[in-house]
PDB file of all heavy atoms in Angstrom:
ATOM      1  N   SER A1437     -11.750   8.723  -2.768  1.00 86.00           N
ATOM      2  CA  SER A1437     -11.169   8.737  -1.427  1.00 86.00           C
ATOM      3  C   SER A1437     -11.668   7.567  -0.574  1.00 86.00           C
ATOM      4  O   SER A1437     -11.526   7.585   0.659  1.00 86.00           O
ATOM      5  CB  SER A1437     -11.498  10.059  -0.722  1.00 86.00           C
ATOM      6  OG  SER A1437     -12.900  10.248  -0.666  1.00 86.00           O
ATOM      7  N   ASP A1438     -12.262   6.566  -1.214  1.00 91.00           N
ATOM      8  CA  ASP A1438     -12.694   5.364  -0.504  1.00 91.00           C
ATOM      9  C   ASP A1438     -11.542   4.359  -0.498  1.00 91.00           C
ATOM     10  O   ASP A1438     -11.314   3.636  -1.479  1.00 91.00           O
ATOM     11  CB  ASP A1438     -13.922   4.758  -1.183  1.00 91.00           C
ATOM     12  CG  ASP A1438     -14.395   3.488  -0.490  1.00 91.00           C
ATOM     13  OD1 ASP A1438     -13.857   3.147   0.588  1.00 91.00           O
ATOM     14  OD2 ASP A1438     -15.300   2.821  -1.054  1.00 91.00           O
ATOM     15  N   PHE A1439     -10.806   4.314   0.608  1.00 94.00           N
ATOM     16  CA  PHE A1439      -9.629   3.458   0.710  1.00 94.00           C
ATOM     17  C   PHE A1439      -9.902   2.191   1.514  1.00 94.00           C
ATOM     18  O   PHE A1439      -8.984   1.550   2.021  1.00 94.00           O
ATOM     19  CB  PHE A1439      -8.471   4.235   1.359  1.00 94.00           C
ATOM     20  CG  PHE A1439      -8.190   5.557   0.701  1.00 94.00           C
ATOM     21  CD1 PHE A1439      -8.025   6.707   1.468  1.00 94.00           C
ATOM     22  CD2 PHE A1439      -8.087   5.661  -0.675  1.00 94.00           C
ATOM     23  CE1 PHE A1439      -7.762   7.926   0.871  1.00 94.00           C
ATOM     24  CE2 PHE A1439      -7.824   6.872  -1.290  1.00 94.00           C
ATOM     25  CZ  PHE A1439      -7.662   8.016  -0.505  1.00 94.00           C
ATOM     26  N   SER A1440     -11.171   1.833   1.663  1.00 95.00           N
ATOM     27  CA  SER A1440     -11.531   0.713   2.528  1.00 95.00           C
ATOM     28  C   SER A1440     -10.883  -0.597   2.078  1.00 95.00           C
ATOM     29  O   SER A1440     -10.517  -1.431   2.914  1.00 95.00           O
ATOM     30  CB  SER A1440     -13.055   0.558   2.586  1.00 95.00           C
ATOM     31  OG  SER A1440     -13.601   0.417   1.282  1.00 95.00           O
ATOM     32  N   ALA A1441     -10.731  -0.797   0.772  1.00 95.00           N
ATOM     33  CA  ALA A1441     -10.121  -2.040   0.280  1.00 95.00           C
ATOM     34  C   ALA A1441      -8.657  -2.137   0.700  1.00 95.00           C
ATOM     35  O   ALA A1441      -8.161  -3.220   1.045  1.00 95.00           O
ATOM     36  CB  ALA A1441     -10.239  -2.120  -1.240  1.00 95.00           C
ATOM     37  N   VAL A1442      -7.960  -1.006   0.699  1.00 96.00           N
ATOM     38  CA  VAL A1442      -6.554  -0.976   1.113  1.00 96.00           C
ATOM     39  C   VAL A1442      -6.459  -1.211   2.620  1.00 96.00           C
ATOM     40  O   VAL A1442      -5.607  -1.986   3.098  1.00 96.00           O
ATOM     41  CB  VAL A1442      -5.907   0.366   0.727  1.00 96.00           C
ATOM     42  CG1 VAL A1442      -4.448   0.415   1.183  1.00 96.00           C
ATOM     43  CG2 VAL A1442      -5.993   0.598  -0.776  1.00 96.00           C
ATOM     44  N   GLU A1443      -7.324  -0.566   3.369  1.00 96.00           N
ATOM     45  CA  GLU A1443      -7.331  -0.736   4.821  1.00 96.00           C
ATOM     46  C   GLU A1443      -7.665  -2.178   5.185  1.00 96.00           C
ATOM     47  O   GLU A1443      -7.077  -2.747   6.127  1.00 96.00           O
ATOM     48  CB  GLU A1443      -8.328   0.247   5.433  1.00 96.00           C
ATOM     49  CG  GLU A1443      -7.905   1.711   5.264  1.00 96.00           C
ATOM     50  CD  GLU A1443      -9.050   2.685   5.474  1.00 96.00           C
ATOM     51  OE1 GLU A1443     -10.230   2.236   5.474  1.00 96.00           O
ATOM     52  OE2 GLU A1443      -8.777   3.892   5.617  1.00 96.00           O
ATOM     53  N   ASP A1444      -8.592  -2.780   4.452  1.00 96.00           N
ATOM     54  CA  ASP A1444      -8.950  -4.178   4.700  1.00 96.00           C
ATOM     55  C   ASP A1444      -7.772  -5.106   4.403  1.00 96.00           C
ATOM     56  O   ASP A1444      -7.531  -6.079   5.134  1.00 96.00           O
ATOM     57  CB  ASP A1444     -10.150  -4.564   3.828  1.00 96.00           C
ATOM     58  CG  ASP A1444     -10.566  -6.011   4.025  1.00 96.00           C
ATOM     59  OD1 ASP A1444     -10.973  -6.370   5.148  1.00 96.00           O
ATOM     60  OD2 ASP A1444     -10.445  -6.791   3.058  1.00 96.00           O
ATOM     61  N   LEU A1445      -7.021  -4.811   3.335  1.00 97.00           N
ATOM     62  CA  LEU A1445      -5.838  -5.605   3.005  1.00 97.00           C
ATOM     63  C   LEU A1445      -4.849  -5.601   4.172  1.00 97.00           C
ATOM     64  O   LEU A1445      -4.308  -6.653   4.555  1.00 97.00           O
ATOM     65  CB  LEU A1445      -5.169  -5.033   1.750  1.00 97.00           C
ATOM     66  CG  LEU A1445      -3.802  -5.623   1.369  1.00 97.00           C
ATOM     67  CD1 LEU A1445      -3.954  -7.071   0.899  1.00 97.00           C
ATOM     68  CD2 LEU A1445      -3.146  -4.781   0.272  1.00 97.00           C
ATOM     69  N   LEU A1446      -4.638  -4.450   4.770  1.00 96.00           N
ATOM     70  CA  LEU A1446      -3.692  -4.338   5.883  1.00 96.00           C
ATOM     71  C   LEU A1446      -4.220  -5.022   7.137  1.00 96.00           C
ATOM     72  O   LEU A1446      -3.451  -5.604   7.906  1.00 96.00           O
ATOM     73  CB  LEU A1446      -3.388  -2.863   6.154  1.00 96.00           C
ATOM     74  CG  LEU A1446      -2.530  -2.193   5.076  1.00 96.00           C
ATOM     75  CD1 LEU A1446      -2.616  -0.680   5.172  1.00 96.00           C
ATOM     76  CD2 LEU A1446      -1.079  -2.641   5.202  1.00 96.00           C
ATOM     77  N   ARG A1447      -5.530  -4.988   7.343  1.00 95.00           N
ATOM     78  CA  ARG A1447      -6.107  -5.664   8.509  1.00 95.00           C
ATOM     79  C   ARG A1447      -5.993  -7.182   8.367  1.00 95.00           C
ATOM     80  O   ARG A1447      -5.692  -7.883   9.337  1.00 95.00           O
ATOM     81  CB  ARG A1447      -7.577  -5.258   8.685  1.00 95.00           C
ATOM     82  CG  ARG A1447      -7.793  -3.943   9.409  1.00 95.00           C
ATOM     83  CD  ARG A1447      -9.241  -3.786   9.836  1.00 95.00           C
ATOM     84  NE  ARG A1447     -10.133  -3.733   8.679  1.00 95.00           N
ATOM     85  CZ  ARG A1447     -10.479  -2.611   8.063  1.00 95.00           C
ATOM     86  NH1 ARG A1447      -9.996  -1.457   8.493  1.00 95.00           N
ATOM     87  NH2 ARG A1447     -11.301  -2.639   7.029  1.00 95.00           N
ATOM     88  N   ARG A1448      -6.223  -7.675   7.165  1.00 96.00           N
ATOM     89  CA  ARG A1448      -6.200  -9.121   6.945  1.00 96.00           C
ATOM     90  C   ARG A1448      -4.783  -9.698   6.939  1.00 96.00           C
ATOM     91  O   ARG A1448      -4.597 -10.894   7.097  1.00 96.00           O
ATOM     92  CB  ARG A1448      -6.898  -9.459   5.625  1.00 96.00           C
ATOM     93  CG  ARG A1448      -8.409  -9.269   5.670  1.00 96.00           C
ATOM     94  CD  ARG A1448      -9.087  -9.777   4.407  1.00 96.00           C
ATOM     95  NE  ARG A1448      -8.770  -8.979   3.224  1.00 96.00           N
ATOM     96  CZ  ARG A1448      -7.930  -9.335   2.268  1.00 96.00           C
ATOM     97  NH1 ARG A1448      -7.295 -10.517   2.349  1.00 96.00           N
ATOM     98  NH2 ARG A1448      -7.687  -8.562   1.230  1.00 96.00           N
ATOM     99  N   HIS A1449      -3.807  -8.841   6.742  1.00 96.00           N
ATOM    100  CA  HIS A1449      -2.416  -9.298   6.693  1.00 96.00           C
ATOM    101  C   HIS A1449      -1.570  -8.468   7.673  1.00 96.00           C
ATOM    102  O   HIS A1449      -0.839  -7.560   7.268  1.00 96.00           O
ATOM    103  CB  HIS A1449      -1.852  -9.177   5.280  1.00 96.00           C
ATOM    104  CG  HIS A1449      -2.565 -10.013   4.259  1.00 96.00           C
ATOM    105  ND1 HIS A1449      -2.326 -11.361   4.111  1.00 96.00           N
ATOM    106  CD2 HIS A1449      -3.524  -9.690   3.346  1.00 96.00           C
ATOM    107  CE1 HIS A1449      -3.092 -11.839   3.143  1.00 96.00           C
ATOM    108  NE2 HIS A1449      -3.837 -10.852   2.665  1.00 96.00           N
ATOM    109  N   PRO A1450      -1.682  -8.774   8.963  1.00 95.00           N
ATOM    110  CA  PRO A1450      -0.926  -7.999   9.962  1.00 95.00           C
ATOM    111  C   PRO A1450       0.581  -8.169   9.829  1.00 95.00           C
ATOM    112  O   PRO A1450       1.342  -7.394  10.412  1.00 95.00           O
ATOM    113  CB  PRO A1450      -1.433  -8.568  11.300  1.00 95.00           C
ATOM    114  CG  PRO A1450      -1.970  -9.924  10.959  1.00 95.00           C
ATOM    115  CD  PRO A1450      -2.523  -9.810   9.576  1.00 95.00           C
ATOM    116  N   ASP A1451       1.013  -9.149   9.037  1.00 94.00           N
ATOM    117  CA  ASP A1451       2.447  -9.370   8.842  1.00 94.00           C
ATOM    118  C   ASP A1451       2.946  -8.762   7.530  1.00 94.00           C
ATOM    119  O   ASP A1451       4.075  -9.039   7.103  1.00 94.00           O
ATOM    120  CB  ASP A1451       2.752 -10.871   8.849  1.00 94.00           C
ATOM    121  CG  ASP A1451       1.955 -11.642   7.790  1.00 94.00           C
ATOM    122  OD1 ASP A1451       0.931 -11.099   7.307  1.00 94.00           O
ATOM    123  OD2 ASP A1451       2.344 -12.779   7.467  1.00 94.00           O
ATOM    124  N   LEU A1452       2.126  -7.917   6.906  1.00 96.00           N
ATOM    125  CA  LEU A1452       2.523  -7.316   5.636  1.00 96.00           C
ATOM    126  C   LEU A1452       3.754  -6.430   5.839  1.00 96.00           C
ATOM    127  O   LEU A1452       3.746  -5.508   6.649  1.00 96.00           O
ATOM    128  CB  LEU A1452       1.363  -6.479   5.067  1.00 96.00           C
ATOM    129  CG  LEU A1452       1.364  -6.225   3.563  1.00 96.00           C
ATOM    130  CD1 LEU A1452       1.075  -7.513   2.804  1.00 96.00           C
ATOM    131  CD2 LEU A1452       0.327  -5.163   3.204  1.00 96.00           C
ATOM    132  N   ALA A1453       4.804  -6.710   5.073  1.00 96.00           N
ATOM    133  CA  ALA A1453       6.059  -5.947   5.212  1.00 96.00           C
ATOM    134  C   ALA A1453       6.118  -4.750   4.267  1.00 96.00           C
ATOM    135  O   ALA A1453       6.772  -3.748   4.565  1.00 96.00           O
ATOM    136  CB  ALA A1453       7.254  -6.863   4.950  1.00 96.00           C
ATOM    137  N   ALA A1454       5.449  -4.856   3.115  1.00 97.00           N
ATOM    138  CA  ALA A1454       5.528  -3.787   2.117  1.00 97.00           C
ATOM    139  C   ALA A1454       4.220  -3.691   1.339  1.00 97.00           C
ATOM    140  O   ALA A1454       3.485  -4.675   1.189  1.00 97.00           O
ATOM    141  CB  ALA A1454       6.687  -4.038   1.157  1.00 97.00           C
ATOM    142  N   LEU A1455       3.945  -2.488   0.854  1.00 98.00           N
ATOM    143  CA  LEU A1455       2.762  -2.240   0.041  1.00 98.00           C
ATOM    144  C   LEU A1455       3.209  -1.496  -1.219  1.00 98.00           C
ATOM    145  O   LEU A1455       3.848  -0.439  -1.135  1.00 98.00           O
ATOM    146  CB  LEU A1455       1.745  -1.392   0.805  1.00 98.00           C
ATOM    147  CG  LEU A1455       0.477  -0.992   0.055  1.00 98.00           C
ATOM    148  CD1 LEU A1455      -0.359  -2.225  -0.291  1.00 98.00           C
ATOM    149  CD2 LEU A1455      -0.350  -0.008   0.865  1.00 98.00           C
ATOM    150  N   TYR A1456       2.883  -2.042  -2.385  1.00 98.00           N
ATOM    151  CA  TYR A1456       3.193  -1.395  -3.658  1.00 98.00           C
ATOM    152  C   TYR A1456       1.927  -0.754  -4.185  1.00 98.00           C
ATOM    153  O   TYR A1456       0.959  -1.430  -4.517  1.00 98.00           O
ATOM    154  CB  TYR A1456       3.736  -2.421  -4.645  1.00 98.00           C
ATOM    155  CG  TYR A1456       4.041  -1.867  -6.031  1.00 98.00           C
ATOM    156  CD1 TYR A1456       4.550  -0.573  -6.205  1.00 98.00           C
ATOM    157  CD2 TYR A1456       3.824  -2.633  -7.171  1.00 98.00           C
ATOM    158  CE1 TYR A1456       4.837  -0.067  -7.456  1.00 98.00           C
ATOM    159  CE2 TYR A1456       4.120  -2.138  -8.444  1.00 98.00           C
ATOM    160  CZ  TYR A1456       4.621  -0.857  -8.576  1.00 98.00           C
ATOM    161  OH  TYR A1456       4.903  -0.358  -9.837  1.00 98.00           O
ATOM    162  N   LEU A1457       1.914   0.582  -4.245  1.00 96.00           N
ATOM    163  CA  LEU A1457       0.792   1.330  -4.781  1.00 96.00           C
ATOM    164  C   LEU A1457       1.091   1.615  -6.249  1.00 96.00           C
ATOM    165  O   LEU A1457       1.883   2.500  -6.573  1.00 96.00           O
ATOM    166  CB  LEU A1457       0.587   2.623  -3.987  1.00 96.00           C
ATOM    167  CG  LEU A1457       0.091   2.407  -2.551  1.00 96.00           C
ATOM    168  CD1 LEU A1457       0.247   3.663  -1.718  1.00 96.00           C
ATOM    169  CD2 LEU A1457      -1.366   1.957  -2.562  1.00 96.00           C
ATOM    170  N   VAL A1458       0.456   0.868  -7.137  1.00 94.00           N
ATOM    171  CA  VAL A1458       0.839   0.871  -8.549  1.00 94.00           C
ATOM    172  C   VAL A1458       0.457   2.180  -9.233  1.00 94.00           C
ATOM    173  O   VAL A1458       1.309   2.911  -9.730  1.00 94.00           O
ATOM    174  CB  VAL A1458       0.190  -0.321  -9.285  1.00 94.00           C
ATOM    175  CG1 VAL A1458       0.692  -0.381 -10.727  1.00 94.00           C
ATOM    176  CG2 VAL A1458       0.498  -1.624  -8.564  1.00 94.00           C
ATOM    177  N   ASN A1459      -0.826   2.477  -9.313  1.00 89.00           N
ATOM    178  CA  ASN A1459      -1.307   3.738  -9.881  1.00 89.00           C
ATOM    179  C   ASN A1459      -2.078   4.488  -8.806  1.00 89.00           C
ATOM    180  O   ASN A1459      -2.907   3.903  -8.112  1.00 89.00           O
ATOM    181  CB  ASN A1459      -2.206   3.492 -11.093  1.00 89.00           C
ATOM    182  CG  ASN A1459      -1.418   3.022 -12.309  1.00 89.00           C
ATOM    183  OD1 ASN A1459      -0.199   3.144 -12.353  1.00 89.00           O
ATOM    184  ND2 ASN A1459      -2.108   2.485 -13.298  1.00 89.00           N
ATOM    185  N   LEU A1460      -1.820   5.767  -8.704  1.00 83.00           N
ATOM    186  CA  LEU A1460      -2.434   6.554  -7.641  1.00 83.00           C
ATOM    187  C   LEU A1460      -3.408   7.569  -8.225  1.00 83.00           C
ATOM    188  O   LEU A1460      -3.075   8.295  -9.155  1.00 83.00           O
ATOM    189  CB  LEU A1460      -1.362   7.284  -6.835  1.00 83.00           C
ATOM    190  CG  LEU A1460      -0.374   6.382  -6.085  1.00 83.00           C
ATOM    191  CD1 LEU A1460       0.711   7.205  -5.420  1.00 83.00           C
ATOM    192  CD2 LEU A1460      -1.105   5.562  -5.047  1.00 83.00           C
ATOM    193  N   GLY A1461      -4.597   7.633  -7.680  1.00 78.00           N
ATOM    194  CA  GLY A1461      -5.550   8.671  -8.039  1.00 78.00           C
ATOM    195  C   GLY A1461      -5.466   9.749  -6.978  1.00 78.00           C
ATOM    196  O   GLY A1461      -4.818  10.774  -7.139  1.00 78.00           O
ATOM    197  N   ASP A1462      -6.088   9.493  -5.825  1.00 79.00           N
ATOM    198  CA  ASP A1462      -5.987  10.379  -4.669  1.00 79.00           C
ATOM    199  C   ASP A1462      -4.758   9.945  -3.875  1.00 79.00           C
ATOM    200  O   ASP A1462      -4.739   8.869  -3.263  1.00 79.00           O
ATOM    201  CB  ASP A1462      -7.263  10.257  -3.827  1.00 79.00           C
ATOM    202  CG  ASP A1462      -7.285  11.246  -2.671  1.00 79.00           C
ATOM    203  OD1 ASP A1462      -6.199  11.728  -2.284  1.00 79.00           O
ATOM    204  OD2 ASP A1462      -8.379  11.517  -2.158  1.00 79.00           O
ATOM    205  N   PHE A1463      -3.728  10.777  -3.867  1.00 85.00           N
ATOM    206  CA  PHE A1463      -2.462  10.388  -3.261  1.00 85.00           C
ATOM    207  C   PHE A1463      -2.534  10.264  -1.740  1.00 85.00           C
ATOM    208  O   PHE A1463      -1.617   9.739  -1.117  1.00 85.00           O
ATOM    209  CB  PHE A1463      -1.368  11.390  -3.651  1.00 85.00           C
ATOM    210  CG  PHE A1463      -0.894  11.223  -5.064  1.00 85.00           C
ATOM    211  CD1 PHE A1463      -1.643  11.693  -6.127  1.00 85.00           C
ATOM    212  CD2 PHE A1463       0.292  10.562  -5.336  1.00 85.00           C
ATOM    213  CE1 PHE A1463      -1.213  11.528  -7.437  1.00 85.00           C
ATOM    214  CE2 PHE A1463       0.732  10.385  -6.639  1.00 85.00           C
ATOM    215  CZ  PHE A1463      -0.026  10.868  -7.693  1.00 85.00           C
ATOM    216  N   SER A1464      -3.621  10.723  -1.149  1.00 90.00           N
ATOM    217  CA  SER A1464      -3.756  10.577   0.296  1.00 90.00           C
ATOM    218  C   SER A1464      -3.968   9.127   0.710  1.00 90.00           C
ATOM    219  O   SER A1464      -3.975   8.814   1.898  1.00 90.00           O
ATOM    220  CB  SER A1464      -4.897  11.457   0.826  1.00 90.00           C
ATOM    221  OG  SER A1464      -6.110  11.159   0.182  1.00 90.00           O
ATOM    222  N   VAL A1465      -4.110   8.220  -0.253  1.00 93.00           N
ATOM    223  CA  VAL A1465      -4.181   6.794   0.065  1.00 93.00           C
ATOM    224  C   VAL A1465      -2.917   6.355   0.807  1.00 93.00           C
ATOM    225  O   VAL A1465      -2.958   5.437   1.634  1.00 93.00           O
ATOM    226  CB  VAL A1465      -4.379   5.945  -1.210  1.00 93.00           C
ATOM    227  CG1 VAL A1465      -3.178   6.046  -2.143  1.00 93.00           C
ATOM    228  CG2 VAL A1465      -4.653   4.487  -0.860  1.00 93.00           C
ATOM    229  N   CYS A1466      -1.801   7.024   0.550  1.00 95.00           N
ATOM    230  CA  CYS A1466      -0.547   6.679   1.236  1.00 95.00           C
ATOM    231  C   CYS A1466      -0.670   6.929   2.735  1.00 95.00           C
ATOM    232  O   CYS A1466      -0.248   6.100   3.549  1.00 95.00           O
ATOM    233  CB  CYS A1466       0.621   7.480   0.657  1.00 95.00           C
ATOM    234  SG  CYS A1466       0.875   7.262  -1.109  1.00 95.00           S
ATOM    235  N   ARG A1467      -1.266   8.061   3.098  1.00 94.00           N
ATOM    236  CA  ARG A1467      -1.458   8.367   4.527  1.00 94.00           C
ATOM    237  C   ARG A1467      -2.443   7.384   5.155  1.00 94.00           C
ATOM    238  O   ARG A1467      -2.260   6.938   6.289  1.00 94.00           O
ATOM    239  CB  ARG A1467      -1.968   9.797   4.695  1.00 94.00           C
ATOM    240  CG  ARG A1467      -0.958  10.872   4.290  1.00 94.00           C
ATOM    241  CD  ARG A1467      -1.460  12.263   4.663  1.00 94.00           C
ATOM    242  NE  ARG A1467      -0.561  13.290   4.177  1.00 94.00           N
ATOM    243  CZ  ARG A1467       0.565  13.657   4.798  1.00 94.00           C
ATOM    244  NH1 ARG A1467       0.883  13.072   5.947  1.00 94.00           N
ATOM    245  NH2 ARG A1467       1.332  14.605   4.299  1.00 94.00           N
ATOM    246  N   ALA A1468      -3.502   7.064   4.402  1.00 95.00           N
ATOM    247  CA  ALA A1468      -4.499   6.123   4.919  1.00 95.00           C
ATOM    248  C   ALA A1468      -3.869   4.760   5.176  1.00 95.00           C
ATOM    249  O   ALA A1468      -4.165   4.104   6.187  1.00 95.00           O
ATOM    250  CB  ALA A1468      -5.659   5.999   3.933  1.00 95.00           C
ATOM    251  N   ALA A1469      -2.998   4.317   4.280  1.00 96.00           N
ATOM    252  CA  ALA A1469      -2.329   3.026   4.452  1.00 96.00           C
ATOM    253  C   ALA A1469      -1.412   3.049   5.667  1.00 96.00           C
ATOM    254  O   ALA A1469      -1.359   2.091   6.449  1.00 96.00           O
ATOM    255  CB  ALA A1469      -1.538   2.672   3.197  1.00 96.00           C
ATOM    256  N   ARG A1470      -0.681   4.141   5.833  1.00 95.00           N
ATOM    257  CA  ARG A1470       0.225   4.250   6.981  1.00 95.00           C
ATOM    258  C   ARG A1470      -0.563   4.225   8.277  1.00 95.00           C
ATOM    259  O   ARG A1470      -0.175   3.570   9.251  1.00 95.00           O
ATOM    260  CB  ARG A1470       1.040   5.541   6.868  1.00 95.00           C
ATOM    261  CG  ARG A1470       1.974   5.798   8.034  1.00 95.00           C
ATOM    262  CD  ARG A1470       3.053   4.746   8.134  1.00 95.00           C
ATOM    263  NE  ARG A1470       3.950   4.805   6.977  1.00 95.00           N
ATOM    264  CZ  ARG A1470       4.897   3.920   6.726  1.00 95.00           C
ATOM    265  NH1 ARG A1470       5.037   2.879   7.526  1.00 95.00           N
ATOM    266  NH2 ARG A1470       5.672   4.036   5.674  1.00 95.00           N
ATOM    267  N   GLU A1471      -1.705   4.921   8.337  1.00 94.00           N
ATOM    268  CA  GLU A1471      -2.534   4.939   9.544  1.00 94.00           C
ATOM    269  C   GLU A1471      -3.116   3.556   9.817  1.00 94.00           C
ATOM    270  O   GLU A1471      -3.177   3.109  10.974  1.00 94.00           O
ATOM    271  CB  GLU A1471      -3.652   5.967   9.395  1.00 94.00           C
ATOM    272  CG  GLU A1471      -3.153   7.416   9.411  1.00 94.00           C
ATOM    273  CD  GLU A1471      -4.254   8.411   9.105  1.00 94.00           C
ATOM    274  OE1 GLU A1471      -5.424   7.973   8.996  1.00 94.00           O
ATOM    275  OE2 GLU A1471      -3.953   9.608   8.957  1.00 94.00           O
ATOM    276  N   ALA A1472      -3.540   2.862   8.753  1.00 94.00           N
ATOM    277  CA  ALA A1472      -4.111   1.522   8.927  1.00 94.00           C
ATOM    278  C   ALA A1472      -3.074   0.531   9.425  1.00 94.00           C
ATOM    279  O   ALA A1472      -3.407  -0.447  10.106  1.00 94.00           O
ATOM    280  CB  ALA A1472      -4.705   1.031   7.605  1.00 94.00           C
ATOM    281  N   ALA A1473      -1.806   0.783   9.124  1.00 94.00           N
ATOM    282  CA  ALA A1473      -0.730  -0.114   9.575  1.00 94.00           C
ATOM    283  C   ALA A1473      -0.455   0.040  11.063  1.00 94.00           C
ATOM    284  O   ALA A1473       0.140  -0.853  11.693  1.00 94.00           O
ATOM    285  CB  ALA A1473       0.538   0.148   8.779  1.00 94.00           C
ATOM    286  N   GLY A1474      -0.881   1.150  11.648  1.00 92.00           N
ATOM    287  CA  GLY A1474      -0.650   1.377  13.077  1.00 92.00           C
ATOM    288  C   GLY A1474       0.824   1.547  13.393  1.00 92.00           C
ATOM    289  O   GLY A1474       1.557   2.219  12.650  1.00 92.00           O
ATOM    290  N   ASP A1475       1.257   0.931  14.469  1.00 90.00           N
ATOM    291  CA  ASP A1475       2.656   1.088  14.911  1.00 90.00           C
ATOM    292  C   ASP A1475       3.625   0.150  14.198  1.00 90.00           C
ATOM    293  O   ASP A1475       4.839   0.313  14.324  1.00 90.00           O
ATOM    294  CB  ASP A1475       2.750   0.847  16.429  1.00 90.00           C
ATOM    295  CG  ASP A1475       1.988   1.901  17.219  1.00 90.00           C
ATOM    296  OD1 ASP A1475       1.872   3.034  16.703  1.00 90.00           O
ATOM    297  OD2 ASP A1475       1.514   1.590  18.325  1.00 90.00           O
ATOM    298  N   ARG A1476       3.114  -0.828  13.489  1.00 90.00           N
ATOM    299  CA  ARG A1476       4.025  -1.773  12.843  1.00 90.00           C
ATOM    300  C   ARG A1476       4.715  -1.116  11.644  1.00 90.00           C
ATOM    301  O   ARG A1476       4.147  -0.240  10.987  1.00 90.00           O
ATOM    302  CB  ARG A1476       3.278  -3.017  12.381  1.00 90.00           C
ATOM    303  CG  ARG A1476       2.159  -2.753  11.384  1.00 90.00           C
ATOM    304  CD  ARG A1476       1.482  -4.034  10.965  1.00 90.00           C
ATOM    305  NE  ARG A1476       0.144  -3.812  10.449  1.00 90.00           N
ATOM    306  CZ  ARG A1476      -0.300  -4.334   9.326  1.00 90.00           C
ATOM    307  NH1 ARG A1476       0.482  -5.098   8.591  1.00 90.00           N
ATOM    308  NH2 ARG A1476      -1.535  -4.109   8.932  1.00 90.00           N
ATOM    309  N   PRO A1477       5.934  -1.521  11.346  1.00 93.00           N
ATOM    310  CA  PRO A1477       6.642  -0.955  10.195  1.00 93.00           C
ATOM    311  C   PRO A1477       5.997  -1.403   8.892  1.00 93.00           C
ATOM    312  O   PRO A1477       5.542  -2.546   8.770  1.00 93.00           O
ATOM    313  CB  PRO A1477       8.065  -1.511  10.333  1.00 93.00           C
ATOM    314  CG  PRO A1477       7.904  -2.766  11.137  1.00 93.00           C
ATOM    315  CD  PRO A1477       6.760  -2.507  12.079  1.00 93.00           C
ATOM    316  N   LEU A1478       5.940  -0.502   7.925  1.00 96.00           N
ATOM    317  CA  LEU A1478       5.376  -0.833   6.620  1.00 96.00           C
ATOM    318  C   LEU A1478       6.113  -0.030   5.553  1.00 96.00           C
ATOM    319  O   LEU A1478       6.132   1.201   5.582  1.00 96.00           O
ATOM    320  CB  LEU A1478       3.880  -0.510   6.553  1.00 96.00           C
ATOM    321  CG  LEU A1478       3.208  -0.768   5.196  1.00 96.00           C
ATOM    322  CD1 LEU A1478       3.164  -2.264   4.891  1.00 96.00           C
ATOM    323  CD2 LEU A1478       1.803  -0.154   5.164  1.00 96.00           C
ATOM    324  N   VAL A1479       6.723  -0.727   4.624  1.00 97.00           N
ATOM    325  CA  VAL A1479       7.383  -0.095   3.483  1.00 97.00           C
ATOM    326  C   VAL A1479       6.316   0.227   2.433  1.00 97.00           C
ATOM    327  O   VAL A1479       5.529  -0.641   2.065  1.00 97.00           O
ATOM    328  CB  VAL A1479       8.453  -1.028   2.876  1.00 97.00           C
ATOM    329  CG1 VAL A1479       8.968  -0.481   1.552  1.00 97.00           C
ATOM    330  CG2 VAL A1479       9.591  -1.223   3.866  1.00 97.00           C
TER     331      VAL A1479
END
């Protein structure tokens, strides 16, 4: 449940339009990514 690398990816790329989650262990990473994106749209 350590999603810090994903959250860091979103912070470093505020213009990220889409995120491809290839293999999922803890599926709550999807919620963490959406929260890290804030109000901006993210596919």
Side-chain angles (χ1 to χ4, degrees):
S1437 57
D1438 179 7
F1439 308 133
S1440 56
V1442 179
E1443 294 162 345
D1444 179 63
L1445 172 69
L1446 289 163
R1447 277 194 297 270
R1448 289 187 292 104
H1449 298 280
D1451 57 341
L1452 203 70
L1455 177 65
Y1456 178 36
L1457 291 165
V1458 185
N1459 288 345
L1460 297 175
D1462 185 339
F1463 285 77
S1464 56
V1465 65
C1466 302
R1467 293 188 185 279
R1470 177 64 66 187
E1471 290 173 6
D1475 295 332
R1476 60 179 158 132
L1478 177 68
V1479 170

